[in-house]
Amino acid sequence: MSAQETVLKKVIRPIHLWAIGVGLVISGEYFGWNYGWGVAGTIGFLIATLIITLLYITFIFSFTELTTSIPQAGGPFTYTHRAMGPFGGLVAGYATAVEFLLATPAIAFALGNYLHFLHPSLPVLGSGIAFYVLLTIINLLGIKESALFSLIITLLAVVELLIYMGIVGPSFKASNFMHNSMPAGWLGVFAALPFAIWLYVCIEGIAMVAEEVKEPSRNIPKGYISAMLTLALLAIGVMMLTGGITDWRALSAIDYPLPEAIGIVLGKQSGITKIFAGIGLFGLIASFNGIIISYSRQLFALARAGYLPDALAALSPKRQVPYVALIAGGLLGVIALYLGKTDQLVILSVMGAVVMYILSMISLFILRKKEPELERPFKAPFYPWFPGIALVLSIVSLIAIVYYNQLLALLFFSGLIIALVIFVAMGKHREPAAITPRV
């Protein structure tokens, strides 16, 4: 491949990074997290959320060091390969691909359910597939166009959540929130961890567009930190206010808790309820679009490094976007729509994320020792405590997820073993990986 074929355009600014970061995650405020109430209750899930918020604050401040030091599209795959070699790179690449590829069909299910809530004649599955097609086409237009779309749709989603809190806030009653608030005790807190992670998962996808950021050493920290603070405030506000308006158990097993909550407060026939459910699509679309950007760049980077077929590393001549990776990722997501359920996809996506977090923090420690001379425009604060806390909490989260979801864990790790066997059988572990852009 020529240099032109493997280099991405640098067009992204801090405001776009904030939009991509918040957009990647903001659908987690709209659905998915409420399944945590089903296993932990309101207080149990609040405790789980505070633990996971600490994990993400320490992780993002640490991860930013890696992203600014090695600003390449492979993200965690690139860092782990550099720190641990080809096998570490493969495990990180697999985990990250699972995280992003399975988060999108979970969101597609929610989009379908939101539309079905508005118009019962619309099929859930068909609507999800339609969004895959539409957003893949938007991303084929180019990263600048896609980032601008993310900015607009994310701003609308944030405004909507603020309006939502303003509508339901006056109906909050502490007695509702505290009723049967920890039915499973502390065990429920651990069982709820994957659903708390869903409130923040995929924010690290900012790393996937690092090659396309102008002045990455200055702008990536701004994007990460502003996005994390925005998400933490929205997550805790939405969760607490929603839990106090009614019996929270009525909202703990549906894919559209926020429209349902407004329907309880204002009445389901209220015009505001229907308008909110309609614009509620903004948050889901923002995440869908952001994650499409991320998984396409991850597949592109893995292919460029020789871990996946070369075709996935192809860039469109005019737009310079990884068009084959975009289309392939969409096809895999549609298959997952047919095979999985929302909560299963959430758990598998989160499992991939946590494995990647563990490898990323280990890589940070290794690179500090292995490459002390590496230019680090942003250094993890309170080193080694921040990356250490993130590592320990990630390991605890993985243990909890595996313990409470053993069949899904078996599926996840079986896939990893198959990938490792193929990797070794093809002799890829002996080949130098082209993890840097060829310019």
Side-chain angles (χ1 to χ4, degrees):
M1 281 185 192
S2 68
Q4 183 72 13
E5 289 175 316
T6 59
V7 179
L8 298 162
K9 284 185 178 180
K10 289 185 177 292
V11 295
I12 297 177
R13 300 179 183 277
I15 187 66
H16 300 123
L17 284 174
W18 172 86
I20 291 170
V22 174
L24 278 162
V25 182
I26 200 165
S27 65
E29 326 284 341
Y30 284 81
F31 83 103
W33 60 268
N34 52 307
Y35 288 99
W37 280 350
V39 295
T42 46
I43 293 295
F45 186 62
L46 176 60
I47 294 169
T49 300
L50 293 175
I51 292 169
I52 295 305
T53 301
L54 175 61
L55 187 164
Y56 272 89
I57 288 171
T58 54
F59 172 76
I60 288 302
F61 274 98
S62 304
F63 193 69
T64 301
E65 176 178 314
L66 293 169
T67 310
T68 53
S69 303
I70 313 169
Q72 293 169 21
F77 153 72
T78 309
Y79 321 144
T80 308
H81 186 283
R82 189 157 172 166
M84 302 184 199
F87 287 107
L90 175 70
V91 177
Y94 170 83
T96 309
V98 168
E99 174 191 0
F100 287 102
L101 286 170
L102 295 188
T104 34
I107 297 168
F109 268 130
L111 277 165
N113 275 301
Y114 264 64
L115 282 177
H116 186 71
F117 176 85
L118 284 170
H119 305 287
S121 61
L122 291 175
V124 173
L125 193 61
S127 299
I129 293 171
F131 276 108
Y132 257 112
V133 173
L134 176 63
L135 292 174
T136 298
I137 290 171
I138 288 173
N139 275 273
L140 288 169
L141 295 175
I143 185 61
K144 188 174 183 179
E145 291 77 7
S146 183
L148 178 61
F149 177 77
S150 284
L151 174 60
I152 294 168
I153 207 81
T154 299
L155 285 170
L156 290 170
V158 170
V159 169
E160 183 188 18
L161 287 178
L162 294 174
I163 293 170
Y164 168 80
M165 288 189 276
I167 290 172
V168 302
S171 299
F172 176 86
K173 292 182 181 177
S175 58
N176 286 333
F177 190 82
M178 297 302 296
H179 177 66
N180 198 24
S181 58
M182 284 186 72
W186 285 98
L187 290 177
V189 173
F190 287 101
L193 289 177
F195 301 108
I197 291 172
W198 185 250
L199 288 164
Y200 302 110
V201 75
C202 294
I203 189 174
E204 66 280 359
I206 289 176
M208 307 303 171
V209 297
E211 267 184 54
E212 297 158 278
V213 177
K214 290 186 174 182
E215 298 183 70
S217 61
R218 292 179 57 234
N219 292 334
I220 289 174
K222 293 178 183 177
Y224 264 134
I225 293 164
S226 60
M228 183 64 216
L229 291 174
T230 301
L231 290 163
L233 291 171
L234 290 173
I236 292 171
V238 167
M239 178 185 58
M240 291 198 65
L241 291 175
T242 306
I245 62 166
T246 186
D247 184 343
W248 53 265
R249 289 171 293 190
L251 302 172
S252 65
I254 56 175
D255 281 352
Y256 45 92
L258 304 196
E260 186 73 13
I262 284 193
I264 290 168
V265 171
L266 300 178
K268 290 189 178 181
Q269 301 307 313
S270 165
I272 295 176
T273 301
K274 292 195 176 294
I275 290 171
F276 181 87
I279 61 176
L281 297 172
F282 291 145
L284 301 175
I285 292 170
S287 289
F288 206 143
N289 187 66
I291 297 172
I292 285 176
I293 294 173
S294 297
Y295 72 55
S296 62
R297 271 58 181 177
Q298 181 68 10
L299 294 175
F300 163 82
L302 288 168
R304 184 173 63 184
Y307 283 55
L308 290 174
D310 285 346
L312 290 167
L315 296 177
S316 55
K318 184 177 180 182
R319 302 287 182 176
Q320 292 298 102
V321 296
Y323 68 100
V324 180
L326 278 164
I327 294 168
L331 291 173
L332 289 170
V334 170
I335 292 169
L337 272 174
Y338 280 97
L339 298 178
K341 296 179 180 178
T342 303
D343 55 345
Q344 295 170 336
L345 293 168
V346 165
I347 289 165
L348 282 168
S349 175
V350 165
M351 201 177 302
V354 172
V355 169
M356 182 271 286
Y357 299 163
I358 292 169
L359 291 171
S360 295
M361 292 301 95
I362 293 172
S363 296
L364 175 60
F365 285 114
I366 291 174
L367 289 171
R368 278 287 187 108
K369 290 184 178 292
K370 186 178 175 181
E371 299 188 41
E373 76 290 346
L374 178 67
E375 184 181 353
R376 293 176 169 86
F378 180 93
K379 287 192 173 184
F382 305 108
Y383 182 89
W385 293 105
F386 264 32
I389 291 169
L391 177 59
V392 170
L393 290 177
S394 295
I395 292 170
V396 170
S397 297
L398 180 61
I399 292 169
I401 294 166
V402 170
Y403 179 79
Y404 286 102
N405 303 279
Q406 294 176 15
L407 287 177
L408 291 175
L410 179 64
L411 178 63
F412 176 88
F413 288 107
S414 295
L416 175 58
I417 291 168
I418 291 168
L420 285 166
V421 169
I422 294 171
F423 186 67
V424 172
M426 295 181 68
K428 294 291 186 181
H429 61 297
R430 292 191 294 268
E431 297 177 9
I435 60 173
T436 56
R438 292 191 284 259
V439 292

